[in-house]
Amino acid sequence: MISPKFVLLLVAFSAASPAWAQPAAIPPAKNPPKSWIDPDTGHRVIRVTDEPGSASLYFNVNGFTPDGKEMIYTTADTISVIELATLTTRPVVQERVRLVEVGRKTPTIYYLKNGAAAGSSTLYGTNIDTGETRKIADLPPRGGISAINADETLGAGARIVSEQQSAYGPTGRAGARGTNAGGALETPSNKYTMMAARLAQRLPMELYTVDLRTGVTKVILQSTDWLNHLQFSPADPTRLLYCHEGPWEVVDRIWTIRTDGSENTLVHRRTMGMEATGHEFWSHDGRTIYYDLHRPWGTVIDLASYNVGTGERTWFNLPLSEWSIHYNATRDNTLFCGDGSDNPPAWWASAVNKWIFLFRPERINDATADERIYGPGARALTPPEKDLVHPGVLHAERLVNLAKHDYRLEPNPIFSPDNKLIFFRSNMLGPTYVFAVEVAKAAP
């Protein structure tokens, strides 16, 4: 029998949830500090935004301009921008809309507005520098856009084809990948039950692209599986990462497909009971897909990687006490970060991982392993087999103590383009704000 605690902890997928899923109110600080050095870690923490209810983006959503100088965030009524050199802020889109992401070729914020008819929406784009706004396309009924490709020629979305309601709202999505301006940010307590019920409905869905120049839509995949979590490669405009959504231990989750509908490919196939994968994301260069891997759930935990060009796999192991809901990587893949959790993903564990973590990866090759086992100078007698998974470990450093953070709001850490800061959202001071922590320790 699965324990109730296990059910509630099993999956934390999305950044947004229904408005009724608000956590208990946390009394706001009268004069919230702008910065401090965390006494438990020695790292400087900066409160970047001043608006209560402001939030950074979901961990796999691109919020940075192509030149790496600015990052967007949301408030209840705006999409605003942070100048990274000065951490000054200004609003750009001053109305309640549903964010998609920032373009990788031009400094354009892509977002959705609700249409006049129920379940209808329209895609818009606003240039961050000039403020120029253009209507791009009216979307199919119950459809949205979740990702913009690398050269900003296509958007991608998924929709339920029938008018039958899903257990997770009319679109059947687990929540916007970007933060919904004006929407709830918190995860509902009965999320696992909702997701299992939605998966069991087997509603007909389609995956489609929208031409950002002409507004023409093209269906590239039809399925009764739950299609979600769309992410274009940051480098290849024709490769789309998506998932078969549902509780992680019951789906072969992670897939890629070309924008013409070809090469529909499963990235990781489960081989044991309760094996689970999730929260996949691209490396900045588009060569690697990273994802959370459990073999089985909550037992052996790895940050796994898959090279889409060579098929090479590396699994970086980490202990249960350092498991995070979300991970992220620097642009050169030399560092990773995680946002911890309020409870570990196993009912038998008692550790609480309420930290922002920095991880330094170490890949274990045959020579390194031989020297550690047999002593200095030992070397592997034969080269490693080509198709084997490469082992590795993550060495953790704690950056921010989140003991006062309510994890119904997931922090979703994101590295700055220069690797010097990690942005995250938190309610540790009461209201939600955008924070940043310095990767380097503060000077004495």
Side-chain angles (χ1 to χ4, degrees):
M1 180 177 178
I2 298 176
S3 74
K5 184 176 181 183
F6 171 73
V7 170
L8 292 179
L9 294 176
L10 188 56
V11 183
F13 284 95
S14 71
S17 63
W20 43 260
Q22 297 286 348
I26 303 174
K30 292 182 179 180
N31 296 299
K34 284 294 290 183
S35 72
W36 67 94
I37 296 175
D38 190 308
D40 298 305
T41 70
H43 288 262
R44 183 178 302 280
V45 183
I46 304 162
R47 178 172 59 83
V48 177
T49 59
D50 292 324
E51 307 97 323
S54 52
S56 52
L57 307 187
Y58 195 45
F59 79 108
N60 61 16
V61 174
N62 180 50
F64 296 101
T65 52
D67 59 12
K69 294 182 178 180
E70 295 177 304
M71 182 186 83
I72 64 170
Y73 69 98
T74 65
T75 72
D77 300 299
T78 71
I79 300 176
S80 297
V81 66
I82 301 167
E83 184 182 88
L84 299 182
T86 63
L87 296 184
T88 56
T89 65
R90 59 185 173 87
V92 177
V93 179
Q94 300 190 60
E95 56 181 316
R96 292 193 176 195
V97 295
R98 191 161 71 247
L99 173 67
V100 179
E101 61 182 337
V102 176
R104 297 181 184 274
K105 184 178 179 181
T106 67
T108 301
I109 300 173
Y110 293 92
Y111 55 92
L112 301 172
K113 292 184 182 181
N114 292 332
S120 66
S121 58
T122 302
L123 178 65
Y124 285 83
T126 295
N127 187 288
I128 292 174
D129 295 336
T130 66
E132 180 183 357
T133 297
R134 66 186 179 100
K135 176 183 174 180
I136 298 173
D138 292 316
L139 303 179
R142 298 170 300 281
I145 291 294
S146 301
I148 304 296
N149 71 348
D151 62 5
E152 296 180 54
T153 58
L154 293 174
R159 74 182 188 108
I160 297 173
V161 178
S162 71
E163 295 186 4
Q164 182 180 355
Q165 293 292 308
S166 78
Y168 236 17
T171 64
R173 292 176 295 134
R177 292 173 56 251
T179 305
N180 286 353
L185 296 167
E186 292 76 19
T187 301
S189 60
N190 63 340
K191 187 169 188 178
Y192 178 83
T193 303
M194 293 170 64
M195 298 191 75
R198 165 63 185 92
L199 177 64
Q201 286 183 285
R202 297 295 175 187
L203 300 178
M205 293 193 71
E206 58 186 25
L207 201 64
Y208 59 88
T209 60
V210 175
D211 191 309
L212 301 185
R213 297 156 295 189
T214 65
V216 173
T217 63
K218 176 185 177 182
V219 176
I220 62 173
L221 181 68
Q222 294 178 314
S223 177
T224 56
D225 287 335
W226 183 4
L227 309 177
N228 196 25
H229 228 246
L230 280 57
Q231 306 169 61
F232 271 111
S233 162
D236 184 345
T238 70
R239 193 188 296 271
L240 179 67
L241 172 65
Y242 75 99
C243 83
H244 287 221
E245 187 70 277
W248 291 2
E249 85 288 3
V250 299
V251 292
D252 283 325
R253 175 182 168 94
I254 306 170
W255 298 70
T256 61
I257 191 171
R258 292 291 185 180
T259 52
D260 62 1
S262 65
E263 299 181 28
N264 191 31
T265 305
L266 177 61
V267 170
H268 182 103
R269 186 180 298 279
R270 293 169 298 142
T271 59
M272 69 167 65
M274 295 301 295
E275 183 173 343
T277 60
H279 281 167
E280 59 281 353
F281 64 98
W282 284 103
S283 65
H284 185 74
D285 59 14
R287 296 178 180 176
T288 303
I289 297 169
Y290 293 106
Y291 56 97
D292 190 7
L293 171 62
H294 297 242
R295 301 169 290 123
W297 178 264
T299 305
V300 177
I301 300 175
D302 300 289
L303 177 60
S305 74
Y306 169 74
N307 186 299
V308 295
T310 66
E312 180 180 325
R313 298 177 186 272
T314 302
W315 294 353
F316 294 103
N317 186 254
L318 68 162
L320 188 63
S321 60
E322 294 164 6
W323 176 76
S324 293
I325 301 171
H326 308 98
Y327 301 93
N328 234 314
T330 55
R331 297 193 172 201
D332 58 5
N333 301 308
T334 59
L335 296 172
F336 297 94
C337 63
D339 54 6
S341 66
D342 56 345
N343 281 292
W347 61 91
W348 62 82
S350 59
V352 176
N353 311 347
K354 300 182 73 170
W355 303 88
I356 296 293
F357 288 104
L358 179 71
F359 296 109
R360 293 178 172 86
E362 178 188 3
R363 183 162 151 166
I364 301 172
N365 57 44
D366 286 354
T368 302
D370 283 351
E371 288 188 349
R372 289 182 174 181
I373 296 171
Y374 301 112
R379 290 292 185 271
L381 298 179
T382 58
E385 293 186 41
K386 177 182 178 182
D387 295 329
L388 295 183
V389 173
H390 297 285
V393 293
L394 293 182
H395 301 286
E397 179 184 358
R398 293 172 173 179
L399 301 187
V400 185
N401 187 334
L402 293 182
K404 295 182 179 180
H405 177 84
D406 184 337
Y407 265 84
R408 283 174 287 183
L409 173 78
E410 297 165 353
N412 288 275
I414 305 170
F415 279 102
S416 63
D418 62 6
N419 303 345
K420 293 182 179 180
L421 297 172
I422 296 172
F423 291 95
F424 62 99
R425 56 197 187 194
S426 178
N427 51 32
M428 59 184 167
L429 299 181
T432 302
Y433 296 103
V434 179
F435 294 87
V437 58
E438 296 176 349
V439 172
K441 277 195 174 184

